[in-house]
Amino acid sequence: MRNVYTGKEMQEIDRYMIEEIGIPSASLMERAGSSLFEEILRVVPSPKRVGVLAGSGNNGGDGVLAARLFALRGVETRVYYLSNPMNLKNEAKRQYLIAEKCHVTFTNEIEDLKDCDVLIDGAFGTGLSRMVEGDAAAIIEKFNEFSGLRFGVDIPSGISSLDGHVMGTAVRCDYTVTFAYEKTGLLLYPGREYAGEIILRDVGIQKLDSVEKTGCRVLEDIDISAMLPRRFAGSNKGSYGHVLVVAGSYQMAGAAYFSAKAAYLCGAGLVKVLTDERNREIIQSKLPEALIDTYGSKLIEDNIKADLEWADVVLMGPGLGVGTLSEKIFDYIFDNVQVPLILDADGLNILSKNPMRLLKPHMGIVVTPHIAEMARLRKVSNSYVLEHMIPLAEEFSRDYQATVVLKNATCVTSVPYGNTYLNLTGNNGMSVGGSGDVLAGMIAGFMAQHVNSEVAAPLSVYLHGKAGDLAVRDTSVYSLRPDDILDYIPKVLL
């Protein structure tokens, strides 16, 4: 598991290392600039010309330092500053003065970088807090037109380190060399797209206990085995929990099937599907191991009461619909459930009419909204959700004491007053109907085995994406379907 930080958090880490630990800022810049130089040489072993777009901050200093190292190897090197280099301060000024003595060429024309086969973006850093406009925006747009390979320093200029959104305009990098820790804005879209391939380099920043408690977390393969529920030799089907899947209105049987099968594939002992009676034959033929309970045109509360007493965890919402009967089912289950509850899809759409219902005491709730569903829950626009994914997930989690899985290309999972996770597995082939139903079923399957939501949610998101990544190798991003994700869950667990 690794940590990622915003620009503001990294500034505090840098301050601590310089002022409290005593590492000179010049040493940190030498390590950063040298690391940048080494990574560029790894990708382009024999560059002909290197061009640097430099700003007045530390990123500009890192880029100029790398330019100096190239110049000392005899590579023609050109630097264009966004502002007058005579106004530079501190380490950025020091690197300019050193580079001047090492045959680095400084130019006043951005076009002089046009024929460079390597381009270094050091215009703005993680501390950028204003929109990129005017001359600076025009220069970045011109820089993006050049054909050389673009290497970002720490983060592409113009990308918010907080949430990855484009602050007016931004450099499109082929590679981004980032230092010490990944920056949050590199992992959220569109920043993740602008960054290209992300290369993480150690620059001697110590991992501190006080620091490790902040920032977001990213799961890695090495973390997964310890998070999975234990299996016992002397167990039986009752040992691994009962999942009740309340899903699938008429002609929406697929949603119930995807969720129920995913729960089984993640180890649940028994899965029961509560669905429209017209879906019975489909579910029984597609998933004969599942138990079935159905409803007709009227709600039979005694049946649902028995189902709730049987269940160890309830998943409600995939394909449920939002009509009058669906609302009655939702209301009865929400008001009477005494076990953890996962709300997905139409469960969230019904909830959005009155999210304050989540304030009632509960045994644990997981919500799994996509962007539009979170927008409805919070009464904001989709674009607002996209630009505030982390704070929105964290606020919702705290406000309602619910674990939140906010689904997008990079999923954000927030635990109330606990960790926030960014997920880096998965691919755009998974942008297909039914993929979310599989994820919700996976969470339910793990929770049935007494894995709490704080673990089951980020674990499921990671494995769901991993299954999609394996599946896409044998299909394609155009052809991937939910059944493919299901097929690869066993392979991922294996």
Side-chain angles (χ1 to χ4, degrees):
M1 191 180 304
R2 62 187 191 268
N3 286 32
V4 298
Y5 295 101
T6 66
K8 186 176 181 180
E9 289 166 337
M10 278 305 304
Q11 287 174 357
E12 175 57 24
I13 293 170
D14 288 342
R15 183 206 65 77
Y16 188 92
M17 297 303 298
I18 294 167
E19 297 180 10
E20 304 294 333
I21 301 298
I23 297 178
S25 58
S27 296
L28 292 175
M29 184 167 286
E30 284 291 336
R31 290 286 299 272
S34 298
S35 297
L36 174 65
F37 167 74
E38 291 166 3
E39 290 300 333
I40 294 173
L41 277 183
R42 184 180 62 81
V43 177
V44 188
S46 301
K48 296 178 180 178
R49 297 183 187 85
V50 174
V52 180
L53 175 61
S56 58
N58 287 344
N59 281 34
D62 295 336
V64 172
L65 193 157
R68 179 234 301 172
L69 296 177
F70 278 112
L72 291 174
R73 288 174 62 99
V75 179
E76 183 181 347
T77 310
R78 305 168 186 171
V79 176
Y80 176 87
Y81 271 104
L82 281 174
S83 56
N84 189 338
M86 300 312 296
N87 297 329
L88 297 173
K89 297 179 180 179
N90 304 322
E91 294 307 324
K93 180 66 172 288
R94 185 196 304 272
Q95 293 304 326
Y96 166 71
L97 294 174
I98 295 172
E100 245 189 342
K101 299 172 184 177
C102 295
H103 311 295
V104 173
T105 299
F106 294 91
T107 177
N108 294 321
E109 298 293 335
I110 187 64
E111 288 287 344
D112 288 341
L113 307 187
K114 184 176 183 178
D115 60 350
C116 293
D117 54 328
V118 168
L119 297 165
I120 299 174
D121 162 35
F124 301 111
T126 58
L128 182 66
S129 58
R130 65 184 187 280
M131 298 294 284
V132 180
E133 300 173 327
D135 292 343
I139 290 167
I140 284 178
E141 292 295 337
K142 178 63 68 175
F143 190 72
N144 279 335
E145 294 174 2
F146 300 157
S147 60
L149 277 179
R150 282 182 289 276
F151 291 81
V153 181
D154 216 18
I155 192 168
S157 295
I159 293 296
S160 166
S161 69
L162 178 65
D163 52 35
H165 79 269
V166 178
M167 302 178 73
T169 190
V171 174
R172 289 187 175 273
C173 297
D174 299 290
Y175 300 85
T176 296
V177 183
T178 196
F179 310 118
Y181 298 94
E182 291 154 301
K183 313 310 178 290
T184 308
L186 289 175
L187 306 185
L188 294 171
Y189 285 89
R192 189 169 163 186
E193 181 180 0
Y194 276 74
E197 181 180 331
I198 299 169
I199 303 168
L200 178 63
R201 286 294 300 257
D202 176 26
V203 291
I205 289 181
Q206 180 181 348
K207 294 187 183 297
L208 306 167
D209 290 341
S210 60
V211 167
E212 292 293 315
K213 295 176 183 176
T214 63
C216 295
R217 308 291 192 270
V218 174
L219 291 182
E220 301 174 280
D221 283 351
I222 196 172
D223 303 313
I224 301 306
S225 61
M227 301 172 73
L228 292 171
R230 293 181 64 190
R231 308 287 288 192
F232 301 96
S235 59
N236 56 62
K237 63 186 178 183
S239 304
Y240 302 115
H242 298 172
V243 177
L244 176 63
V245 176
V246 186
S249 58
Y250 179 51
Q251 296 185 330
M252 292 293 289
Y257 161 73
F258 292 136
S259 294
K261 185 169 183 178
Y264 265 129
L265 290 173
C266 288
L270 286 169
V271 179
K272 179 183 288 187
V273 178
L274 175 60
T275 189
D276 187 291
E277 62 184 9
R278 289 165 289 187
N279 293 331
R280 176 185 289 276
E281 184 176 344
I282 297 173
I283 299 297
Q284 287 183 322
S285 62
K286 291 280 287 182
L287 196 66
E289 61 267 42
L291 305 174
I292 305 289
D293 195 4
T294 62
Y295 53 84
S297 58
K298 295 182 179 180
L299 177 65
I300 304 175
E301 295 182 354
D302 287 344
N303 287 8
I304 298 181
K305 180 181 179 182
D307 292 337
L308 292 178
E309 291 173 350
W310 171 88
D312 294 307
V313 61
V314 176
L315 164 59
M316 179 164 60
L320 183 64
V322 292
T324 302
L325 180 58
S326 298
E327 288 197 16
K328 288 181 178 178
I329 293 170
F330 178 94
D331 290 344
Y332 184 84
I333 291 176
F334 191 88
D335 291 340
N336 290 280
V337 65
Q338 297 296 316
V339 294
L341 173 65
I342 301 159
L343 293 175
D344 182 56
D346 286 330
L348 296 171
N349 292 328
I350 295 172
L351 177 68
S352 67
K353 297 178 181 180
N354 183 17
M356 299 298 286
R357 297 175 70 173
L358 290 174
L359 293 175
K360 65 167 284 188
H362 53 74
M363 296 298 294
I365 287 180
V366 180
V367 296
T368 59
H370 56 53
I371 298 301
E373 288 163 348
M374 178 59 87
R376 286 191 283 272
L377 286 166
R378 279 313 213 192
K379 306 296 188 289
V380 296
S381 66
N382 289 2
S383 60
Y384 184 87
V385 176
L386 283 168
E387 292 187 3
H388 299 85
M389 286 187 64
I390 293 174
L392 272 176
E394 291 178 338
E395 289 167 9
F396 196 99
S397 180
R398 287 193 302 267
D399 288 350
Y400 299 113
Q401 291 296 290
T403 297
V404 177
V405 177
L406 181 51
K407 298 180 293 191
N408 199 33
T410 299
C411 288
V412 177
T413 302
S414 181
V415 174
Y417 297 100
N419 292 329
T420 296
Y421 298 85
L422 304 183
N423 185 64
L424 303 186
T425 62
N427 58 78
N428 57 26
M430 300 174 73
S431 301
V432 61
S435 178
D437 303 327
V438 173
L439 174 59
M442 293 176 72
I443 298 171
F446 286 125
M447 289 182 67
Q449 299 168 79
H450 309 294
V451 179
N452 62 40
S453 64
E454 291 87 345
V455 174
L459 170 66
S460 299
V461 172
Y462 183 89
L463 294 175
H464 178 256
K466 199 81 171 176
D469 287 339
L470 289 181
V472 83
R473 298 177 187 177
D474 295 331
T475 55
S476 76
V477 292
Y478 300 99
S479 307
L480 191 67
R481 290 294 176 264
D483 267 327
D484 300 318
I485 302 172
L486 288 170
D487 288 344
Y488 277 85
I489 291 173
K491 295 179 176 64
V492 169
L493 292 173
L494 183 64

